[in-house]
Amino acid sequence: MVFWLMYLKMNKLLVNIVRGLMVALSKLPLKFHYFMADVLAWLFRKVLRYRYSTVMVNLSRSFPDKKYKEIDRIAKDFYRHFGEIFAEAIWFGGSSYKRLHDSGIVTVMNPEELNELFLSTPSMTVLSTHCGNWELMGGFLGYRTPSGEKVAIREEEIRVVYKKLSSPVSDEVFKRNRVAPLERVGTSCEIESMNILRHAVSNREKRLVYIYPTDQAPYWKAAKHPIGEFMHQQTNVMLGSVGVACKLSHSVMYMKMRRVERGRYEMTLIPICRNASEMTPEQIMRKYYDLLEQEINETPHNWLWTHKRWK
């Protein structure tokens, strides 16, 4: 018992130290962070060779018609983007809604369509990806829109579904970083994936938005369902997220995050269905992966190629 308490205290201390350093760095201008992004990209690609073989295998199998020079160019652009993900995440961790809005780092392109679907259905399931920078999603309610119309969702109506990281320190640090811009910290509820069905059923009378990162390889304990080809490879998926949506008649949207240029992303919410109970989970996931493949083909370097998606 004594050792367990010491372990918890040590973890808490490490979390506070790492989080404190991140917050201090986050106050520096975004231009500084992009300078560090270039340094990180060089280290990941040239020095550490971080998952370089995984990146090249994934790219080669996903784009069988491309020549080596084209694959190498995509890999180089990806590592530059990979460095930006880390740099932007640190900057994001010290940002308020106002800072995010003023920076113009993300523009939500279709708030009108999002608002209409959210307000006219029981709840909404949003299937996100590892395109763009998913660590910026916590600022969703503070980002610019082309028309100036605000997103009609409140902080307390958002539920972000996640899988707990194996390292308790990393898990807590990134959890705090993701919710840093919230004006009322704690009102946005993060739910572990294993608890989502119970939570959704017990809150079925509330209109909520459930956001799931959906493009990972199935967890080793999870049921695996073949979905056919994705990026020229036979792919297994998990159906838990859309299974909940089907049971509770949620509307379902695909979250597209296109990188326009350094420091500029466009987020578009694309409707998959208005009532998930009218489709099967397999049909929804097939449509999701078709949209994801289209997005990857548009900007190949914009996806997380270090991930071992096809195991």
Side-chain angles (χ1 to χ4, degrees):
M1 185 64 179
V2 174
F3 288 110
W4 176 246
L5 291 174
M6 290 177 62
Y7 172 76
L8 292 177
K9 287 182 179 180
M10 182 61 69
N11 281 348
K12 186 176 181 180
L13 177 62
L14 286 173
V15 167
N16 290 334
I17 290 172
V18 174
R19 182 69 189 133
L21 289 172
M22 289 176 69
V23 170
L25 287 172
S26 73
K27 304 303 179 183
L28 295 169
L30 192 52
K31 286 184 178 179
F32 168 81
H33 290 280
Y34 282 131
F35 168 76
M36 293 307 300
D38 290 334
V39 174
L40 286 172
W42 176 76
L43 284 172
F44 284 135
R45 182 168 181 258
K46 291 292 187 179
V47 180
L48 301 176
R49 306 286 283 182
Y50 176 72
R51 294 198 173 179
Y52 185 78
S53 60
T54 299
V55 171
M56 295 304 287
V57 168
N58 281 341
L59 286 171
S60 299
R61 291 177 177 173
S62 298
F63 300 102
D65 297 332
K66 291 188 182 296
K67 297 180 180 178
Y68 174 78
K69 285 187 178 180
E70 295 176 284
I71 296 295
D72 188 57
R73 166 50 60 183
I74 296 172
K76 185 176 180 180
D77 290 343
F78 161 72
Y79 276 104
R80 186 170 186 261
H81 172 57
F82 194 54
E84 291 171 358
I85 290 171
F86 282 87
E88 289 167 348
I90 293 173
W91 173 84
F92 175 84
S95 296
S96 62
Y97 281 160
K98 184 179 185 305
R99 189 190 193 198
L100 293 171
H101 184 274
D102 292 346
S103 72
I105 193 168
V106 178
T107 300
V108 180
M109 300 303 293
N110 60 334
E112 302 86 358
E113 190 170 23
L114 170 64
N115 291 343
E116 189 281 324
L117 199 60
F118 172 65
L119 295 174
S120 63
T121 58
S123 279
M124 177 182 288
T125 289
V126 176
L127 305 179
S128 68
T129 76
H130 285 88
C131 289
N133 191 341
W134 54 95
E135 293 294 335
L136 302 180
M137 285 196 299
F140 181 66
L141 302 184
Y143 292 136
R144 295 180 182 179
T145 64
S147 64
E149 179 174 339
K150 294 184 177 180
V151 174
I153 301 169
R154 296 170 298 176
E155 288 179 359
E156 59 267 27
E157 294 171 330
I158 296 175
R159 302 290 186 268
V160 179
V161 184
Y162 77 104
K163 184 177 185 298
K164 197 169 185 178
L165 299 176
S166 57
S167 165
V169 173
S170 298
D171 185 70
E172 185 62 25
V173 166
F174 282 103
K175 188 187 298 183
R176 288 193 195 179
N177 199 74
R178 285 192 295 267
V179 302
L182 297 179
E183 294 173 350
R184 298 183 297 278
V185 174
T187 58
S188 177
C189 186
E190 291 197 314
I191 308 293
E192 278 196 72
S193 54
M194 62 185 293
N195 299 323
I196 188 57
L197 178 58
R198 183 186 301 113
H199 181 88
V201 170
S202 63
N203 289 275
R204 66 189 306 166
E205 300 305 318
K206 298 178 182 178
R207 181 180 287 119
L208 301 173
V209 177
Y210 295 89
I211 303 176
Y212 297 82
T214 313
D215 54 353
Q216 315 101 309
Y219 310 140
W220 69 276
K221 285 185 177 180
K224 301 170 179 62
H225 301 271
I227 200 67
E229 278 200 358
F230 163 60
M231 298 306 295
H232 301 281
Q233 298 166 81
Q234 293 297 320
T235 302
N236 292 323
V237 302
M238 296 176 288
L239 297 179
S241 57
V242 291
V244 173
C246 290
K247 287 179 185 295
L248 301 178
S249 302
H250 290 187
S251 54
V252 181
M253 298 193 91
Y254 171 89
M255 181 182 283
K256 179 178 181 179
M257 195 169 188
R258 186 171 78 94
R259 182 186 181 278
V260 181
E261 60 183 7
R262 170 167 276 187
R264 294 289 183 273
Y265 295 94
E266 289 181 352
M267 183 185 291
T268 305
L269 281 296
I270 302 172
I272 291 179
C273 63
R274 180 173 286 273
N275 184 348
S277 67
E278 296 176 352
M279 300 176 69
T280 67
E282 290 81 3
Q283 288 172 329
I284 294 173
M285 290 301 287
R286 182 64 265 173
K287 194 165 183 179
Y288 167 86
Y289 274 95
D290 288 343
L291 289 166
L292 176 56
E293 184 164 328
Q294 179 182 333
E295 183 175 2
I296 293 172
N297 282 322
E298 288 173 2
T299 49
H301 65 277
N302 195 42
W303 195 48
L304 185 62
W305 293 105
T306 52
H307 177 49
K308 295 181 179 180
R309 179 59 187 84
W310 297 276
K311 297 181 181 179

